[in-house]
Amino acid sequence: MSTLERDVLSRSELDALVREREAELAELKAQLNEWIEAYDATPKRDASFTTISGRELKPLYTALDRADADDTEAVGLPGFYPFTRGPYATMYRTRLWTMRQFAGFATAEETNERYKYLLDQGQTGLSVAFDFPTLMGYDSDHPRSLGEVGVCGVAISSLADMERLFEGIPLDQVSVSMTINGPAIILFCFYVAAAEKQGVSPEVLRGTVQNDILKEYQAQHAWVFPPEPALRCIVDMLEWCSTHAPKYNPISISGYHIREAGATAAQELAFTLRNGFEYVERAIARGLDVDDFAPRLSFFFDVHSDFFEEIAKLRAARRIWARAMRDTYGAKDPESWRLRTHAQTAGVSLTAQQAENNIVRVAYQAMAAALGGAQSLHTNSMDETLALPTEKSVRIALRTQQILAFESGVTNTIDPLAGSYFLESLTDALEQDAQAIFEEVDALGGVVPGIHQGWFQQQIAGSAMQQQRDIESGRRVVVGVNDFTDGSGDIQIDTLKIDPAVERRQVDAMARMRASRDNQVVTRTLSDLTTACRTDENIVPRILDCARAYCTLYEIRHAMEDVFGAYKEPISF
Amino acid sequence: MTDPQRRIRVLVAKPGLDGHDRGAKVIASSFRDAGFEVIYTGLHQTPEMIVSAAVQEDVDVVAMSVLSGAHMTLFPRVRVLLDEAGADHVLVTGGGIIPESDMEALEALGIGRLFGPGTRTTDAIAYVKDWIAHQRTQ
Amino acid sequence: MSTDLPTRFRDGKVPALARAISITEDQRDGFEELLHELLRAGPQAKRVGLTGPPGAGKSSLLALVANAYRALDERVGIVAVDPTSPYSGGALLGDRIRMNDLATDPGIFIRSMASRGSLGGLATTTKEVLDVMDAFGFERILVETVGVGQTELEITAAADTVVVVLVPESGDAVQAMKAGLMEIADIFVVNKADRPGAGRLAKEIRQALHLRAGEALHDVPAHHGVDLQNVPLELRPESSGDSERWEIPVLETNALDGAGIPDLVAAIGDHRAWLEGSGELAARRRHRTRGRVQDVVQREMRRVAWASDEVRRSLDEGVRGIERGEGTPYSVARDLLALLLR
């Protein structure tokens, strides 16, 4: 009931309305009691009626579950606060989600060819996957990189590699997403410097760098520096981008890796948002105006197999974020309240057994992402758990999105599941769970103390262990793994054979680059960077100078590490 | 001769730069629950670090999780270094995304059984227990 | 292979040390003979123990201290004890994670031990394992207790210098006193000194220590009810030479950035000098040796007591007798002892 009506109605009219509503509920309760009798009298299957996160579900949800809810306030309308129903008013009627597939392998040249092919096919955004040495801040010719160069992504050790990666690709026209965290500030500077070489100013650059270090400590473990200096680097980037690269998203706050490491849906939701709040608080503490940077924050969630729980999770995420941004952090611009998210289907849900079944899993997950209102989506390929995906399986994954977008009809109506007793109850329950987890984190002293104490890591490992037990005990059925295993015996795993030539070529290229650059400038820019790290000046311009001088990733990392130190994993069992 | 005081000691390690330790932690906890003493080394281990720990801890088994595709480099390297350190009695086993043909090739190089995706932890536990029982009765 | 174990051990072979520790830890057949063979030289190493509540950062601190001794070119042996699961008998030993920087340094040897049911903070055989490491020739031995909460008194019997590590979250000085930490500490460390409350905790501990040493008592007027006659003898202010007494330092460290580590290393060195100068070291070692002999005798008596079939039979018979109302546990025990001592 709106405020307006309340003002106009007389006391007696109001009483009549309340009595009418009470009578309705009493009637419903009576009906429900009959149903409960019928339900109790009937035998049930021997199964566990919980979500895969272990949430107990009722067999039936009714209006009684929503009797106390204020759906006008909590659910609202798409494009309006609190954005439960979607970040935009028109959603997929204006623009479908972006179908963005992640790619990168071997050397910059080879990945560059693949990108040009993808752009020729009409793709407008690129997504860079880096190899493990790059993700950890090691050069291709560092001893710890041995055997891993170019294997699970592209190797980028200096501006020279970044130039080759985007050669012939106009960076003022494509949006580039880079999945890197520990050394993100360095790779970002390589990217900005590569654009400069093309004559493209940072002001027009569009794209995203993942740059979410907190979830690295919690889940994915590709870190370089300890939390405090790492957070300083992120705030430096937020600050620098808000004035120099206003169209660029300097962070993508990611729940994906938290979930893949074993977290439940509620833990993914709560840890991710709490991490987001931490970045916001740090930036505000630096003196930035929340409305100057918050509109450029974006998110990345996992979409797992439990259909309704995943939809509810995305809806709850938007509502929690909007409320906190407006009420706790004082953001005034609605753009700051709006949570926009990329989604990816759950890699951990894929099975090696009967791998073709993964197509079906991915399709359901993708549908949950669409019904949850995601802005972009990566669908996993069916063979990803076995190998680098084949071209055919990548195509099927993309086609899955296209069938969803153009054949299933789910894009016609915005947030079509809103008002469902069950879905709204589940959305509320996830929000309540998240609030309880926020309180636990606060009791630990915040995110960083929680990381140092290994709390997040323990929570995630505990959930992973529980899921493993559920599968091994048969409490949870995974088709082809612990049930319906006929046809599961023959697993064809085909990993990418690493051509040792890739590593050799990369190492040779680095030797040539090291020989041709001006090493005096290298030494000077690196030492200036170390000095800047000791002060509280913004270090982005210093790293840019290093990048322009062709300092390598590891050299820059090392110059920073002199001041920042290296992160050490806490014991987290 | 089997000695009731004698526990099974296992080193669980995560070699290479890949940080995905979900599997390593699940297996470490499962081994503990099976009564093993598990030494967990943490992430980002070099083969040298793993072997040094295995020797100092006098473990019966080294179990490694490799998801990065670098198994053909990492498993043999650990085996060779263990042998050089006089620890040729130590079983090297593990899991990850490893094709059948690679598993066979690694077995020929002295690596024990390797477990693929979807393995039950009970199978890995049974394998280690059987192997130990066999060793200790010899 | 085990026949030449003592030889390889004396030749400084690391696998031989590791195996000797396993034999000791498992109390495998013949372990006492092996220890007898290996321990002839007597204690040489400087033994430092770290104890404190869970989450105090003992492992990180230990790694930093070990690094400092490596910088002084000392060879360092480390034993870290973690709890055994009472449910499965297994254990997850994770302390090496914190010591990865030391992993391949040939001058460092790290051994993880499961407590295997022992409740005193160390495993039953940890003290003997330390002896084995000592015999191997480490100049410095660092041992870290389980740290599950209760006071881990065994550390005093295992180490020459006991460092008690606390953090602001682990409670105030009164709790530390109640837990008996004042009695076992040679050095107090308040770790995570950047956290709120660290300075206050350090100050409280200093005050509590002064009180305990009796210095505060001198200034307390009698009407406050403090009567030295009621203070236990060992807590009374010592009348004789204060220079002989060890002043327990209270240090502040931060294992995250290494702050305070040089002070801690210096304090351990000072304590060593005091131990040697005051004759306390010899006393502690004598005490330790005595305890070891008693341990061995008790262990053997326990083993022998239940080893013979005759004794076990008599026990069963005695229990049945008690059930019939013939005798009590005490009369049966007396009969068993008579049988044993025959």
Side-chain angles (χ1 to χ4, degrees), chain A residues 378-398:
Chain A
H378 170 108
T379 35
N380 290 326
S381 303
M382 62 168 167
D383 48 3
E384 245 162 68
T385 183
L386 307 174
L388 209 73
T390 63
E391 215 164 285
K392 183 177 175 189
S393 64
V394 173
R395 195 167 56 237
I396 292 173
L398 184 59

Side-chain angles (χ1 to χ4, degrees), chain C residues 55-58 60-61 64 164-169 189-195 198 201 251-256 259 261:
Chain C
K58 295 186 292 292
S60 311
L61 215 54
L64 289 165
V164 173
V165 186
L166 298 173
V167 279
E169 292 83 350
V189 167
V190 176
N191 192 25
K192 303 183 185 174
D194 57 327
R195 299 263 181 92
L201 177 62
L251 309 172
E252 293 180 47
T253 59
N254 187 348
L256 286 179
I261 300 302

Side-chain angles (χ1 to χ4, degrees), chain C residues 24-336:
Chain C
T24 307
E25 184 178 24
D26 294 341
Q27 301 186 10
R28 292 182 202 169
D29 289 345
F31 83 98
E32 286 172 330
E33 289 79 355
L34 176 68
L35 288 173
H36 170 71
E37 178 86 23
L38 299 179
L39 298 188
R40 296 223 174 124
Q44 305 290 325
K46 298 164 182 163
R47 301 185 188 187
V48 181
L50 277 86
T51 187
K58 295 186 292 292
S59 301
S60 311
L61 215 54
L62 190 146
L64 289 165
V65 169
N67 259 330
Y69 287 124
R70 286 302 293 144
L72 299 170
D73 223 21
E74 287 187 23
R75 295 177 64 223
V76 183
I78 297 172
V79 174
V81 188
D82 272 332
T84 290
S85 157
Y87 306 105
S88 69
L92 244 172
L93 313 173
D95 289 310
R96 293 191 83 94
I97 298 174
R98 275 322 214 160
M99 301 175 197
N100 271 327
D101 289 353
L102 319 172
T104 53
D105 179 342
I108 287 198
F109 180 97
I110 307 168
R111 182 65 176 232
S112 313
M113 289 185 81
S115 64
R116 298 191 181 178
S118 165
L119 294 174
L122 301 177
T124 324
T125 53
T126 300
K127 285 175 273 181
E128 283 157 314
V129 165
L130 296 180
D131 290 341
V132 172
M133 287 179 122
D134 195 333
F136 193 74
F138 292 105
E139 283 116 355
R140 181 74 55 176
I141 294 176
L142 305 175
V143 54
E144 178 197 335
T145 66
V146 172
V148 287
Q150 82 272 40
T151 303
E152 299 179 324
L153 293 172
E154 278 190 9
I155 192 76
T156 55
D160 305 325
T161 301
V162 175
V163 180
V164 173
V165 186
L166 298 173
V167 279
E169 292 83 350
S170 55
D172 59 15
V174 175
Q175 282 170 281
M177 277 170 84
K178 282 187 187 158
L181 294 174
M182 300 293 159
E183 281 72 33
I184 67 170
D186 296 309
I187 295 167
F188 267 106
V189 167
V190 176
N191 192 25
K192 303 183 185 174
D194 57 327
R195 299 263 181 92
R200 201 186 58 220
L201 177 62
K203 202 170 139 208
E204 285 175 1
I205 296 169
R206 280 186 203 109
Q207 283 169 348
L209 287 169
H210 281 214
L211 195 69
R212 175 174 171 261
E215 292 179 15
L217 297 183
H218 295 302
D219 306 326
V220 178
H223 65 258
H224 274 207
V226 178
D227 182 348
L228 282 183
Q229 295 306 313
N230 295 333
V231 176
L233 199 62
E234 65 273 20
L235 296 187
R236 279 184 221 169
E238 290 176 27
S239 49
S240 66
D242 265 13
S243 59
E244 284 299 300
R245 220 178 54 218
W246 170 248
E247 285 280 343
I248 300 173
V250 182
L251 309 172
E252 293 180 47
T253 59
N254 187 348
L256 286 179
D257 64 9
I261 300 302
D263 294 343
L264 174 56
V265 171
I268 294 170
D270 291 346
H271 186 249
R272 185 81 199 173
W274 174 80
L275 281 175
E276 287 172 359
S278 65
E280 179 71 15
L281 181 64
R284 285 190 187 195
R285 280 181 170 163
R286 194 174 309 120
H287 181 71
R288 204 156 68 204
T289 307
R290 196 183 162 81
R292 189 82 71 261
V293 175
Q294 287 176 319
D295 285 350
V296 175
V297 169
Q298 278 164 11
R299 186 164 60 210
E300 189 60 12
M301 280 170 67
R302 234 189 335 265
R303 194 186 63 76
V304 169
W306 308 112
S308 94
D309 290 344
E310 195 188 354
V311 172
R312 285 202 301 269
R313 241 186 344 261
S314 304
L315 173 63
D316 290 344
E317 279 165 19
V319 170
R320 279 194 294 273
I322 295 170
E323 284 168 357
R324 288 194 302 271
E326 300 159 8
T328 66
Y330 306 94
S331 63
V332 173
R334 207 169 44 230
D335 295 345
L336 284 180

Side-chain angles (χ1 to χ4, degrees), chain A residues 194-216:
Chain A
E196 273 177 7
K197 291 264 174 182
Q198 291 187 0
V200 174
S201 140
E203 270 166 43
V204 299
L205 285 180
R206 286 177 308 121
T208 305
V209 59
Q210 195 165 77
N211 201 24
D212 172 10
I213 197 64
L214 294 172
K215 66 96 172 57
E216 293 297 328

Side-chain angles (χ1 to χ4, degrees), chain B residues 43-82:
Chain B
L43 292 162
H44 308 137
Q45 303 285 299
T46 62
E48 288 76 8
M49 289 159 91
I50 291 168
V51 169
S52 164
V55 169
Q56 292 177 6
E57 300 286 358
D58 193 24
V59 294
D60 305 291
V61 178
V62 171
M64 294 187 284
S65 160
V66 180
L67 302 172
S68 65
H71 51 268
M72 292 307 283
T73 320
L74 295 167
F75 279 98
R77 180 85 186 128
V78 168
R79 176 77 274 169
V80 166
L81 290 174
L82 276 172

